C-alpha cells in the first residue's frame, strides 16, 4: 500500500454523473455549472456563487472585481500557497506578507494590525488546513482601514466558524474555494467565489467570460440585433465545464461524510500523538469546526537529532509520501527578488521547519492510519 498526504475519492456514482453530462447537449459552462453553484451557495448559506476554472482564477477574479487602483496594497499570510499572494500581483497591486501563528499557521492578527495601512485595500486571510481564521477580528481590523476581505478558503469547504459555514461571507466580501484533486472535494480542476454582494457578483460573471455580456438589461446599444453582444471589461476565459461541474456537484453530496471521516482521522493522529513529546497535531481553535483538508503534524526534529530531510526520505522508502505545507511565500526566489526578507517571519519559519502533512483522505481506513502512524514513530525513534 502506498500512502500520500492527500488523494481524491472518486466512486462509481461520480463517474456516472460525468458520463451523463458527456452525453448531454452541454459540455462547457451550462446547466450543470448552475446546479453546482446553487448547491454550494445553499450549503454555505450565501446569496451568490460563481464557478470558475480553478482556485487561482477565483482569487484573480475576486481581486479584479474590487476594481482597485494599480499600486494598491494587498495583505496575505506568508505560510500559504503562492496563489494567495500572486492574485494581488495579477491585479497590479503590491503584496504584503504577514507572519503566522507558530502553532496553527493562521495569520498573526496582532501583526496584521501592525502592518495594515492606509494603502491596504484588501486582506486575504488563509484558512490553513481547513481551519478558519478568526474572521470577526480580521473584519474588524480591515474595517478600520476600509479594506476589503477575501477569504482564501481553498482548504476549507465544509468547515465552520462560529457555527456558520465558511463561504457564508458573514465577515468578508468574498470567499474563494478550490476543487483541485487534493482538496476536500474535487471537480478535476475548479474553483468558486461566493459573495452576498450583487455588484461584485455581476462583475465576476462578466470577468469569467471575456468581459462580454449578451444580457439585454446590460447592453449599451438600443434595439440590438439578435446576434449582438458587448465587451464591457477586459475579462478572461475562466469558465468551468459542465463535465467538471457534474463531478463537483456529485462530490457535494458526500461532503458531510468526507468531513466526518477527515475529522476522525485527525482525531486518531491526535490521540496517538498525545503521549509523544516529539509530535504535535495542529490545534483546533474553539470557534472552529474544521473540515480538515490537511493533517499538519509538527515534529521536533532538533530534539530528535534527525533532519527533516532524512525523515522524509526514509518514509518515502516505506511508501509513505508526506508533503510540507508550505514553503513560506517569502522564501520563494520570486518574492525574495521583490525584497521580502527571511528574518521578518519567525512564526512561519519555525512552522515550516517542523511541519509535515500526514496522510488524510476519506478512503483511508483507521487501520491504515494506525499503520502510517506506527511507521512514522518507528522511523523517528530509530
Ligand atoms: C490550492 C490552493 C489555491 C489555488 O487553487 P487551484 O485550484 O489549485 O488553483 C489557492 N490557495 C490555497 C491556500 C490553496 O491551497
Amino acid at each position: 500500500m502506498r500512502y500520500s498526504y492527500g488523494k481524491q475519492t472518486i466512486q462509481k456514482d461520480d463517474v456516472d454523473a460525468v458520463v451523463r453530462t458527456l452525453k448531454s447537449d452541454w459540455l462547457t459552462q451550462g446547466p450543470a455549472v448552475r446546479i453546482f453553484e446553487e448547491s454550494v451557495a445553499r450549503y454555505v448559506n450565501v446569496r451568490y456563487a460563481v464557478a470558475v476554472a480553478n482556485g487561482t482564477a477565483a482569487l484573480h477574479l475576486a481581486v479584479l472585481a474590487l476594481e482597485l487602483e494599480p499600486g494598491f496594497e494587498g495583505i496575505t499570510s506568508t505560510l500559504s500557497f503562492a496563489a494567495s499572494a500572486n492574485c494581488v500581483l495579477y491585479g497590479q497591486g503590491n503584496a504584503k506578507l504577514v507572519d503566522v501563528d507558530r502553532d496553527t499557521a493562521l495569520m498573526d492578527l496582532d501583526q496584521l494590525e501592525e502592518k495594515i495601512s492606509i494603502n491596504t485595500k484588501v486582506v486575504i486571510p488563509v484558512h490553513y488546513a481547513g481551519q478558519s481564521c478568526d474572521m470577526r477580528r480580521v473584519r474588524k481590523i480591515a474595517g478600520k482601514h476600509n479594506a476589503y476581505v477575501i477569504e482564501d478558503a481553498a482548504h476549507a469547504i465544509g468547515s465552520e466558524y462560529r457555527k456558520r459555514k465558511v463561504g457564508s461571507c458573514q465577515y468578508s466580501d468574498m470567499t474563494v474555494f478550490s476543487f483541485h484533486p487534493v482538496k476536500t472535494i474535487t471537480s478535476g480542476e475548479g474553483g468558486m467565489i461566493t459573495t452576498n454582494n450583487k455588484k461584485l457578483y455581476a462583475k465576476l460573471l462578466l470577468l469569467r467570460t471575456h468581459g462580454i455580456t449578451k444580457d439585454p438589461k446590460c447592453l449599451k446599444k438600443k434595439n440590438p440585433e439578435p446576434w449582438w453582444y458587448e465587451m464591457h471589461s477586459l475579462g478572461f476565459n475562466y469558465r468551468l465545464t459542465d463535465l467538471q461541474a457534474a463531478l463537483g456537484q456529485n462530490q457535494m453530496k458526500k461532503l458531510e461524510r468526507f468531513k466526518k471521516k477527515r475529522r476522525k482521522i485527525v482525531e486518531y493522529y491526535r490521540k496517538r500523538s498525545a503521549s509523544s513529546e516529539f509530535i504535535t497535531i495542529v490545534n483546533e481553535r474553539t470557534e472552529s469546526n474544521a473540515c480538515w483538508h490537511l493533517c499538519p503534524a509538527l515534529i521536533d526534529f532538533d530534539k530528535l537529532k534527525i533532519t527533516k530531510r532524512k525523515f522524509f526520505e526514509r518514509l518515502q522508502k516505506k511508501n509513505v509520501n508526506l508533503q510540507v505545507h508550505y514553503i513560506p511565500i517569502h522564501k520563494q526566489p520570486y518574492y525574495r527578488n521583490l525584497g521580502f526578507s527571511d528574518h521578518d517571519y519567525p512564526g512561519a519559519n519555525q512552522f515550516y521547519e517542523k511541519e509535515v502533512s500526514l496522510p488524510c483522505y476519506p478512503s483511508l481506513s483507521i487501520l491504515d492510519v494506525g499503520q502510517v502512524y506506527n511507521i512514522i514513530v518507528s522511523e523517528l525513534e530509530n
Side-chain angles (χ1 to χ4, degrees), residues 71-74 116-122 145:
F72 72 90
E73 185 178 281
I116 198 168
S117 77
I118 187 153
N119 302 319
T120 309
K121 299 301 171 198
V122 58
H145 294 81

Side-chain angles (χ1 to χ4, degrees), residues 197-233:
N197 183 314
K198 197 173 178 179
K199 272 203 185 126
L200 291 175
Y201 175 61
K203 192 81 203 179
L204 291 168
L205 291 180
L206 207 59
L207 288 169
R208 173 172 68 178
T209 36
H210 310 282
I212 286 176
T213 182
K214 292 178 194 168
D215 184 348
K217 290 195 294 288
C218 303
L219 295 177
K220 297 189 191 303
K221 185 169 191 176
K222 295 272 168 334
N223 193 21
E225 297 89 343
W227 62 81
W228 189 254
Y229 60 85
E230 286 172 5
M231 181 179 145
H232 289 174
S233 55

Side-chain angles (χ1 to χ4, degrees), residues 54-57 59 80-81 83-84 126 152 154-155 178-180 183 189-191 293 326:
N54 53 65
T56 305
L59 282 167
S80 184
F81 184 54
S84 308
V126 179
D152 183 341
H155 297 184
S178 163
F179 308 117
H180 182 279
K183 307 289 160 79
E189 293 271 0
H293 154 55
Y326 289 93

